[in-house]
Amino acid sequence: MHDSEESKIVRFVSGLRREIQAIVELYEYSSLEKLVHLAIKVESQVLKKTTFKNTHIFGLKHASLVIA
């Protein structure tokens, strides 16, 4: 069974965490490959933000735990 590029994109986006979905859906992308790269960048930024928040909330200099 061969899925269309569009159906693969829909399945991929539906499998993302909600916070990443919400950000990814704000951008335009022309292929699944570009979407995957965008999602990776977004996830990286979300993780950095979460790590930063946790570091400052708990007063730690280096966060050893990232809450995803």
Side-chain angles (χ1 to χ4, degrees):
M1 175 197 234
H2 295 284
D3 293 331
S4 70
E5 180 93 353
E6 186 176 342
S7 66
K8 289 177 185 177
I9 288 172
V10 169
R11 275 201 339 256
F12 179 79
V13 171
S14 69
L16 295 172
R17 292 192 340 240
R18 295 282 181 216
E19 63 187 323
I20 295 172
Q21 275 182 16
I23 297 168
V24 164
E25 290 173 347
L26 298 174
Y27 293 87
E28 291 185 24
Y29 38 84
S30 56
S31 69
L32 179 59
E33 182 179 354
K34 289 182 181 186
L35 171 60
V36 169
H37 288 290
L38 173 62
I40 290 168
K41 286 180 184 179
V42 169
E43 182 180 38
S44 175
Q45 290 300 311
V46 167
L47 288 175
K48 283 180 188 176
K49 186 185 255 185
T50 303
T51 301
F52 179 79
K53 239 191 271 185
N54 290 341
T55 312
H56 286 72
I57 289 172
F58 298 113
L60 304 173
K61 287 187 178 184
H62 300 285
S64 59
L65 173 67
V66 176
I67 300 172

